[in-house]
Amino acid sequence: MHIYRHFLLLIFALFIIVKVKAQPAEPANAPAEVKMQPKREFRGVWIATVVNIDWPTSTKLTADQQKKQLLDILNSHQETGINAVMLQVRPAADAFYAKSREPWSKYLMGKQGQGPNYDPLEFAITEAHKRGMELHAWFNPYRATFDGNFAALSPQHITKIKPEWFFTYGGIKTFNPGLPEVRDYIVQVILDVVDNYDVDGVHMDDYFYPYPIAGQKINDDATYAKYGEGFDNIKDWRRHNVDLLIKMIADSVHAHDPNIKFGISPFGIWANKSQNEEGSETNGGSSYYENYADSRQWLKEGWIDYINPQLYWPIGNRAAAFDKLLSWWSDNTYGRHLYIGQAAYRVNERKTLAFKNPSQLPEQIKLIRNNPRIQGSVYFSSTSLTNNPLGVTDSLRENYYRYPALPPVMLWRDSIAPNPPLNVTARPVVNKNAVSVKWLTPALAKDEEPVYGYVIYRFDAEKINIDDPKNILKIEYNTNLSYEDNTVQRGKTYFYVVTALDRMKNESERSPTIAVTVP
């Protein structure tokens, strides 16, 4: 679960986002911003399942009610222009998926180990892909419980089977990252999903070693004594332990499926300049010193495909300014993708004047888009966007995300595009105000990777420019060979083009242009 650093976990669990009906943060007819919309942009949203923050909102929902609620969420995000969801599938050493070595999450049916009569992850993947969205499976690597009610844990919960793997800190159980068998276990948990589900990414958040709590001590001295040889202090050893896990996950995920993206969302400050001369001009907690998570190192080594720091402060904030952190992270990407975690949950927050301004998030988007080293955003969390605080979601839907966008390519994973579709045709549909566009599967690309989907474009004039996203009719993550355009007008001539996509969203050259006049 992603939250602003200074909130306590259990307080946040009770946090209620008030739905505010308001006018859009900016008018829908803001041509300057629409004009600068990129064709490639990551537009993600976190769907948090822990303590039923986003989905399902209650453990009393039936399976059908859970499905309907998720469809409503995905439909809302599709309308907003979101093209990726980070679904929390392992909140606390438990599972939102059937093919798991861990028990069903209690946040599904109210009791750990009791599951619904369907596979939530399988259902979510299918429905996300239908809507042109990637689905990244979000794992909490080290958190084993979210509360201290250990008696309610399933007998199959790993804390019951391997109690020696854990320490208790802040009243909850956490995996001990210094144990090699713990690292092996977590990798296998993630590979259960990689091997059995058509996920687009493996995603981890900021919970590595626990955030410091006054009066609490991490009880890993014995583990350090056993495995800490070669390290002068326990802090460097702890960072090394996290590094080992990240590299193991990266190597394992990409060995099992090179088309799966691996990304991490750390706390927004790597280190303050007062702590480390290479840090940012900030004064706050830091992942390097507090969580023993050297996220910058993971980028330098190329272990992760994207970094998604949680920049949950406003522009110009005295302690940690969004704009300064944006600049720092963009200078430390080492050629990997940078997606910015934006605090939709803080919009209209009473105690922070900046977030009561409806232009705060749109202004952040402008800064993001003006930086060529940044490829997009992820919003925390889903409920905040569907609630549309201060009209911010309207602003995305009607302005910044008005046109569809493809996810950015990752050329270090795959740089070979598919071949264009063959034999494209476009004909009016008899007795219907529509045009049927059809094509044939292209020949295999040089890497022999099959086509994963298609992009259908439509133009009102013969000047064809597929770089402008306003001409995209539909992005389809399936291998259907036809599309029916029901948005045409009688008497008009349209020009259609189709391209092919591979699994990593590389796009082919365009097909020949097909003109059709609607009778």
Side-chain angles (χ1 to χ4, degrees), residues 80-144:
T80 300
I82 295 297
N83 63 15
V85 295
M86 278 58 179
L87 178 64
Q88 190 175 32
V89 300
R90 186 188 188 241
D94 52 7
F96 266 69
Y97 50 97
K99 297 168 185 174
S100 170
R101 65 191 62 215
E102 296 183 311
W104 285 105
S105 174
K106 71 177 180 180
Y107 303 120
L108 276 163
M109 308 302 292
K111 181 180 179 181
Q112 192 174 81
Q114 181 178 333
N117 59 359
Y118 76 108
D119 190 326
L121 178 56
E122 189 71 54
F123 179 76
I125 292 167
T126 300
E127 296 301 330
H129 288 171
K130 280 182 187 177
R131 290 159 178 79
M133 297 177 187
E134 291 191 344
L135 188 139
H136 294 228
W138 163 17
F139 296 84
N140 293 87
Y142 291 127
R143 186 169 65 206

Side-chain angles (χ1 to χ4, degrees), residues 75-298:
N75 287 337
S76 176
H77 293 323
Q78 181 186 22
E79 291 169 6
T80 300
I82 295 297
N83 63 15
V85 295
M86 278 58 179
L87 178 64
Q88 190 175 32
V89 300
R90 186 188 188 241
D94 52 7
F96 266 69
Y97 50 97
K99 297 168 185 174
S100 170
R101 65 191 62 215
E102 296 183 311
W104 285 105
S105 174
K106 71 177 180 180
Y107 303 120
L108 276 163
M109 308 302 292
K111 181 180 179 181
Q112 192 174 81
Q114 181 178 333
N117 59 359
Y118 76 108
D119 190 326
L121 178 56
E122 189 71 54
F123 179 76
I125 292 167
T126 300
E127 296 301 330
H129 288 171
K130 280 182 187 177
R131 290 159 178 79
M133 297 177 187
E134 291 191 344
L135 188 139
H136 294 228
W138 163 17
F139 296 84
N140 293 87
Y142 291 127
R143 186 169 65 206
T145 69
F146 191 76
D147 56 41
N149 187 12
F150 305 146
L153 295 171
S154 162
Q156 284 73 46
H157 195 257
I158 192 64
T159 58
K160 297 289 186 73
I161 299 169
K162 294 285 187 180
E164 68 275 14
W165 285 4
F166 303 88
F167 55 75
T168 302
Y169 187 91
I172 68 172
K173 288 187 181 293
T174 298
F175 282 91
N176 185 344
L179 296 173
E181 52 267 44
V182 161
R183 296 192 290 271
D184 291 340
Y185 175 81
I186 293 170
V187 170
Q188 290 306 313
V189 166
I190 291 172
L191 289 179
D192 288 339
V193 169
V194 169
D195 291 341
N196 292 296
Y197 296 91
D198 187 26
V199 295
D200 300 279
V202 165
H203 180 85
M204 289 164 53
D205 61 8
D206 54 317
Y207 287 101
F208 296 101
Y209 277 87
Y211 282 104
I213 299 173
Q216 296 284 310
K217 182 181 184 300
I218 297 175
N219 294 316
D220 60 351
D221 290 346
T223 315
Y224 177 51
K226 184 174 182 179
Y227 296 106
E229 185 178 354
F231 290 90
D232 295 334
N233 62 76
I234 198 169
K235 295 180 179 180
D236 288 341
W237 171 74
R238 286 172 180 165
R239 273 184 285 273
H240 175 69
N241 295 332
V242 179
D243 286 349
L244 286 174
L245 177 69
I246 301 308
K247 188 176 190 307
M248 286 173 66
I249 293 172
D251 291 345
S252 300
V253 167
H254 292 144
H256 282 240
D257 189 339
N259 288 324
I260 289 183
K261 305 168 183 180
F262 177 37
I264 295 179
S265 178
F267 180 64
I269 299 172
W270 171 73
N272 300 290
K273 192 173 281 292
S274 60
Q275 300 169 304
N276 187 315
E277 62 180 12
E278 295 185 329
S280 53
E281 293 181 14
T282 49
N283 293 289
S286 63
S287 64
Y288 185 90
Y289 293 100
E290 294 196 358
N291 306 124
Y292 306 101
D294 189 356
S295 48
R296 182 169 171 261
Q297 174 77 3
W298 310 334

Side-chain angles (χ1 to χ4, degrees), residues 317-431:
N317 181 268
R318 183 176 297 177
F322 177 90
D323 41 323
K324 287 185 177 181
L325 282 163
L326 194 76
S327 178
W328 186 91
W329 280 104
S330 72
D331 288 338
N332 288 275
T333 61
Y334 297 94
R336 293 303 195 242
H337 282 181
L338 171 59
Y339 313 144
I340 302 302
Q342 291 187 261
Y345 77 96
R346 296 196 68 192
V347 173
N348 203 37
E349 185 178 79
R350 291 182 181 179
K351 71 173 190 175
T352 307
L353 187 62
F355 278 110
K356 289 191 71 67
N357 185 341
S359 69
Q360 177 65 217
L361 254 60
E363 289 299 321
Q364 291 183 6
I365 293 172
K366 290 179 187 178
L367 291 175
I368 289 168
R369 285 186 171 170
N370 285 333
N371 190 318
R373 294 179 182 172
I374 306 175
Q375 289 80 24
S377 304
V378 184
Y379 299 91
F380 191 83
S381 69
S382 175
T383 300
S384 301
L385 283 192
T386 54
N387 281 352
N388 191 26
L390 297 182
V392 163
T393 312
D394 289 338
S395 184
L396 296 179
R397 183 180 298 122
E398 299 171 13
N399 185 4
Y400 296 94
Y401 294 175
R402 181 175 173 183
Y403 303 125
L406 287 165
V409 294
M410 292 182 170
L411 299 181
W412 60 92
R413 298 247 63 85
D414 181 4
S415 61
I416 300 174
N419 289 312
L422 300 171
N423 299 353
V424 177
T425 62
R427 295 187 176 91
V429 180
V430 178
N431 299 324

